[in-house]
Each structure stands twice: as structure tokens, then as C-alpha cells.
Amino acid sequence: NKLSFPCAASFNNKAYKKYYTYLMDNDLIKVGGLLVVDNVLFRGKVAELAALTPQQRQDLKVQDNEQKDDNESKLDENGMPLPLTPEEKRLKKEAKFAKRHRAIAQALDDFNVAISQDVRMESALLPIRDGLTIARRCK
């Protein structure tokens, strides 16, 4: 017989779905148990991502892949990397953060969909600050 006790934890938000699956597959959330998860809307990025069409999502993936190619430094005639201008540095940094934020938003959207479609759980996503999901295991 497994022990049941209240628990609070903070996970890497890109791994929420992985941890959720682990908790459920190992019966660590008992019937009647609660799961409270914060930051499920990630600065509104999850809602922005969810509003995109499949084609727009695909275009962003292509853009992110092209960005990998741009990460290679441009070389001078001696094969030495050319320094980036301040504007190039700024744009590169912005693109890196945008890509990272999209990856986090996608992972959180996957988690939100998984928990909302899981028949073992009753859940509500509250749009408070960065988003809060409260779920109760019912089966």
C-alpha cells in the first residue's frame, strides 16, 4: 500500500507534462488528491501560441531552424570570425529569447491539453497572473 501525503514541488516548466505523466502513471496522485500547477500561461505566451494557425506554427519552426544556420559566425578572408555589430548582437539575443519562450510555451500548451483531456482529472485553468491550474483526481 502506497503512502499518500500532501506534496508541493516546483518543476522545470518545460517538463510539466513529463512530471504529470510520471505522477499519474505511478498512481502518486490518489483519487480525491489535488494537483496545483503555476505558471501554466507563461507571460501570456501560451495563449499567443494557441491562437496561431498550424501554418503559422510551422513557419515559426522553419524560422527557428534557419536561425541555427545563422548562428555560425561570418568569417573574414583569413577564416577568422567577424565581430557582430551591436545591432546584430541585439537581434541575435532577441531571437534566442523568442525561440526559448516559444519552446516553453509549446511545452506548457502540451501540458495544459494533456491535463484538460485526462478523464481521470477534473481541472480548471485560472488566468491569474501567469496562470494557475487546479486539478482533482476523480478516477
Side-chain angles (χ1 to χ4, degrees):
N1 197 4
K2 293 184 180 179
L3 295 175
S4 179
F5 54 92
C7 179
S10 181
F11 301 118
N12 171 339
N13 51 11
K14 282 176 68 174
Y16 278 4
K17 185 176 176 187
K18 177 181 163 185
Y19 287 114
Y20 173 70
T21 301
Y22 177 83
L23 290 170
M24 296 302 286
D25 288 352
N26 290 285
D27 208 28
L28 297 174
I29 301 174
K30 304 295 182 193
V31 173
L34 292 178
L35 177 66
V36 180
V37 184
D38 67 348
N39 301 324
V40 294
L41 294 177
F42 188 63
R43 304 175 187 175
K45 302 290 184 194
V46 174
E48 290 172 11
L49 184 67
L52 297 177
T53 65
Q55 182 59 51
Q56 289 170 318
R57 285 185 185 215
Q58 184 60 36
D59 292 346
L60 285 174
K61 286 181 184 178
V62 169
Q63 178 184 338
D64 288 344
N65 288 334
E66 288 173 354
Q67 189 180 49
K68 287 179 186 174
D69 298 335
D70 291 344
N71 284 338
E72 295 179 15
S73 298
K74 295 178 178 103
L75 306 177
D76 66 14
E77 64 276 356
N78 298 318
M80 299 299 292
L82 292 170
L84 297 174
T85 66
E87 180 66 7
E88 289 172 326
K89 287 180 183 177
R90 184 187 66 75
L91 290 173
K92 189 174 182 176
K93 185 176 181 180
E94 283 179 9
K96 179 181 174 183
F97 279 113
K99 181 179 176 181
R100 180 177 170 269
H101 287 178
R102 278 193 298 275
I104 292 169
Q106 182 61 59
L108 289 170
D109 188 48
D110 292 346
F111 165 76
N112 291 337
V113 168
I115 199 167
S116 70
Q117 293 179 349
D118 190 335
V119 297
R120 300 169 294 178
M121 300 294 275
E122 295 173 334
S123 65
L125 191 159
L126 306 175
I128 300 169
R129 299 197 34 98
D130 263 354
L132 182 71
T133 292
I134 302 173
R136 183 180 74 85
R137 183 155 187 177
C138 57
K139 294 182 182 177

